[in-house]
């Protein structure tokens, strides 16, 4: 039986289908996994946050108790895998490791708003911006104080309003004219969609699991 994968704005469906033949479902919400019949492998990448109730821990535990292999990463999957790892859920990817280590904690780090018809992201997940700031600091493009101030201001913004344009505006205001240009160039050259990268990692991991079964 094909694996079931809950996917949304983290990766376009067409790209996912090129990687893994699966039964793709929209972002997981409360109750969705309770209706899976016969699934042996379930991948959770995207899930809803405020649009409706999020997938519950007990629901995932019910799958694990039925010996279903549950694999998560990228977004909601990374968060739940970090919380449910000691019950047997498998976490994959950088964002999962950040949650598991405690480097990030809030649900809103991976939250974004998206078009429910096209799944196109309409805001930017904070975790992508956090990683970009860390890399800019390590490259000596910004100082540690500026990094902390920019991140703090972005965290204070309600997640649907977190966009790349807002992020760059905050950075320019914080850094001032002298340093803003260098940061803009660094952003243009080094921005990466970590959620997308992790979604691809999850699908490749599931493919490997299925081939080994």
């Amino acid at each position: 039986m094909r694996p079931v994968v809950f996917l949304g704005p983290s990766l376009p469906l067409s790209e996912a289908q090129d990687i893994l033949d699966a039964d793709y479902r929209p972002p997981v919400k409360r109750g969705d996994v309770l209706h899976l019949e016969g699934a042996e492998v379930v991948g959770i990448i995207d899930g809803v946050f405020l649009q409706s109730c999020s997938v519950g821990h007990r629901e995932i535990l019910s799958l694990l108790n039925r010996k279903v292999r549950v694999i998560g990463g990228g977004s909601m999957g990374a968060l739940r895998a970090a919380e449910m790892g000691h019950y047997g859920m498998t976490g994959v990817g950088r964002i999962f490791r950040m949650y598991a280590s405690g480097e990030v904690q809030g649900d809103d780090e991976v939250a974004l708003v998206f078009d429910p018809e096209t799944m196109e992201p309409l805001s930017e997940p904070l975790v992508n911006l956090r990683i970009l700031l860390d890399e800019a600091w390590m490259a000596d493009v910004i100082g540690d104080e500026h990094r902390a101030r920019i991140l703090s201001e972005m965290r204070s913004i309600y997640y649907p309003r977190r966009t790349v344009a807002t992020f760059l505006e905050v950075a320019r205001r914080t850094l001032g004219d002298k340093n803003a240009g260098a940061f803009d160039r660094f952003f243009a050259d080094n921005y990466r969609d970590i959620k997308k990268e992790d979604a691809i990692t999850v699908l490749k991991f599931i493919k490997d699991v299925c081939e080994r079964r």
Side-chain angles (χ1 to χ4, degrees):
M1 186 174 184
R2 292 191 302 166
V4 175
V5 177
F6 292 93
L7 177 68
S10 290
L11 182 70
L13 179 59
S14 60
E15 293 185 37
Q17 291 171 328
D18 287 340
I19 299 169
L20 176 69
D21 179 26
D23 176 3
Y24 287 99
R25 309 282 181 94
V28 67
K29 62 182 183 300
R30 184 70 55 86
D32 284 348
V33 302
L34 297 177
H35 303 297
L36 298 179
E37 296 293 337
E40 297 179 354
V41 179
V42 174
I44 299 176
I45 296 174
D46 289 305
V48 300
F49 286 87
L50 295 183
Q51 298 95 328
S52 58
C53 293
S54 301
V55 61
H57 301 83
R58 290 186 179 182
E59 297 174 79
I60 295 173
L61 186 60
S62 72
L63 291 179
L64 296 170
N65 287 339
R66 300 200 323 255
K67 307 303 180 185
V68 177
R69 185 75 184 272
V70 185
I71 300 160
S75 187
M76 174 65 76
L79 176 63
R80 287 292 182 262
E83 296 166 336
M84 301 291 292
H86 55 293
Y87 292 108
M89 184 173 177
T90 302
V92 178
R94 183 172 181 178
I95 296 171
F96 159 72
R97 293 192 296 273
M98 292 172 75
Y99 273 117
S101 69
E103 182 179 352
V104 296
Q105 297 179 350
D107 295 12
D108 70 314
E109 290 270 353
V110 292
L112 51 72
V113 289
F114 58 90
D115 185 312
E117 297 296 326
T118 66
M119 295 294 168
E120 180 183 0
L122 301 176
S123 64
E124 185 70 19
L126 184 60
V127 69
N128 283 350
L129 305 178
R130 174 190 289 274
I131 290 171
L132 189 283
L133 286 170
D134 287 347
E135 291 175 348
W137 171 67
M138 289 186 286
D140 290 327
V141 175
I142 60 174
D144 188 46
E145 181 180 348
H146 283 149
R147 174 181 64 160
R149 285 171 56 191
I150 295 168
L151 180 60
S152 177
E153 185 163 347
M154 290 305 299
R155 289 182 67 182
S156 72
I157 297 171
Y158 187 41
Y159 80 86
R161 299 188 178 95
R162 293 173 185 156
T163 63
V164 167
T166 299
F167 173 66
L168 291 176
E169 180 183 338
V170 169
R172 290 164 187 153
R173 185 171 64 249
T174 303
L175 296 171
D177 294 339
K178 181 179 179 180
N179 300 310
F183 183 78
D184 282 353
R185 290 189 294 273
F186 183 87
F187 180 90
D189 292 340
N190 294 277
Y191 169 82
R192 293 160 53 201
D193 187 346
I194 307 300
K195 286 183 64 173
K196 181 176 182 178
E197 292 178 8
D198 278 8
I200 292 170
T201 300
V202 171
L203 296 180
K204 290 181 176 179
F205 186 90
I206 293 173
K207 183 176 182 179
D208 184 64
V209 167
C210 292
E211 289 175 349
R212 292 172 181 269
R213 294 180 76 87

